[in-house]
């Protein structure tokens, strides 16, 4: 497929930095997607959760090698292979979410693209803006900078590593 997709990665259990970087590399190694760009790593506070440790998050730009629902299935397998524990709003060793796939909009029982909550999450928007400052929402047409400015509440997002890398 010849369009960029954006995938958010996070961890708040164990060696968080290593886990998100391993998950990013696994996308390419396992034939799921070609890595195009990786954001820096960000430490972020959990939102809408019971008190727990902070997350390390990043966003990667990829060229998907699978159709959306197949991509989701492979990502779920990768999460398990990487030791995913924890469910929604629980501590997690790794969490991988498809944020957007080009200008595609998809709403099935198993997958919604763009991700239904990404526009309210600084831990996705800030690293997304770093690697794709021209990104616009395929549903609303809003620019990533506009979405950041409209965040409903203050969310702590601290850049902890300048690992921004562009792949050719």
């Amino acid at each position: 497929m010849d369009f960029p997709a954006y995938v958010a990665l996070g961890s708040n259990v164990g060696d968080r930095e290593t886990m998100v970087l391993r998950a990013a590399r696994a996308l390419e190694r396992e034939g799921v997607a070609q890595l195009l760009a990786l954001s820096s790593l960000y430490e972020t506070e959990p939102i809408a959760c019971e008190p727990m440790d902070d997350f390390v998050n990043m966003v990667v730009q990829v060229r998907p090698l699978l159709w959306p629902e197949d991509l989701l299935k492979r990502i779920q397998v990768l999460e398990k292979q990487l030791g995913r524990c924890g469910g929604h709003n629980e501590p997690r060793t790794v969490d991988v979410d498809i944020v957007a796939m080009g200008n595609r909009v998809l709403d099935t029982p198993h997958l919604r693209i763009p991700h239904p909550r990404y526009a309210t999450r600084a831990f996705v928007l800030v690293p997304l803006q770093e690697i794709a400052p021209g990104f616009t929402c395929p549903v609303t047409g809003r620019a990533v900078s506009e979405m950041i400015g409209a965040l409903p509440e203050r969310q702590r997002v601290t850049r902890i590593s300048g690992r921004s890398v562009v792949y050719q």
Side-chain angles (χ1 to χ4, degrees):
M1 281 153 260
D2 201 22
F3 53 84
Y6 300 94
V7 177
L9 303 105
S11 173
N12 76 333
V13 174
D15 186 347
R16 303 165 304 158
E17 291 180 31
T18 298
M19 186 54 68
V20 294
L21 291 169
R22 282 182 61 205
R25 300 283 187 228
L27 292 171
E28 191 164 67
R29 184 184 67 246
E30 298 297 323
V32 175
Q34 177 188 6
L35 290 174
L36 301 175
L38 286 75
S39 75
S40 298
L41 299 175
Y42 293 83
E43 188 168 66
T44 64
E45 62 187 339
I47 56 173
C49 301
E50 295 295 319
M52 65 178 80
D53 292 339
D54 287 349
F55 280 85
V56 168
N57 293 96
M58 71 183 306
V59 171
V60 296
Q61 180 186 45
V62 300
R63 179 172 293 110
L65 302 176
L66 303 168
W67 291 105
E69 290 196 348
D70 294 330
L71 180 66
L72 174 65
K73 289 175 188 173
R74 290 289 296 278
I75 284 173
Q76 291 169 337
V77 168
L78 284 175
E79 286 177 322
K80 288 179 185 171
Q81 289 173 343
L82 291 168
R84 162 110 187 210
C85 67
H88 186 66
N89 291 340
E90 294 179 0
R92 297 183 281 295
T93 50
V94 66
D95 185 34
V96 182
D97 289 318
I98 302 168
V99 175
M101 293 185 78
N103 61 359
R104 281 143 184 81
V105 176
L106 183 65
D107 190 356
T108 73
H110 304 288
L111 179 62
R112 289 180 62 196
I113 296 175
H115 190 284
R117 293 175 300 282
Y118 87 99
T120 62
R121 295 177 167 175
F123 66 85
V124 173
L125 294 175
V126 171
L128 176 62
Q129 183 178 40
E130 178 187 339
I131 61 171
F135 177 85
T136 58
C137 178
V139 175
T140 66
R142 292 184 347 173
V144 67
S145 59
E146 182 182 348
M147 290 184 275
I148 290 171
L151 286 170
E153 59 190 53
R154 185 103 177 115
Q155 300 171 29
R156 182 176 49 79
V157 177
T158 306
R159 185 176 175 178
I160 59 171
S161 172
R163 295 183 192 237
S164 181
V165 177
V166 177
Y167 284 82
Q168 299 295 335

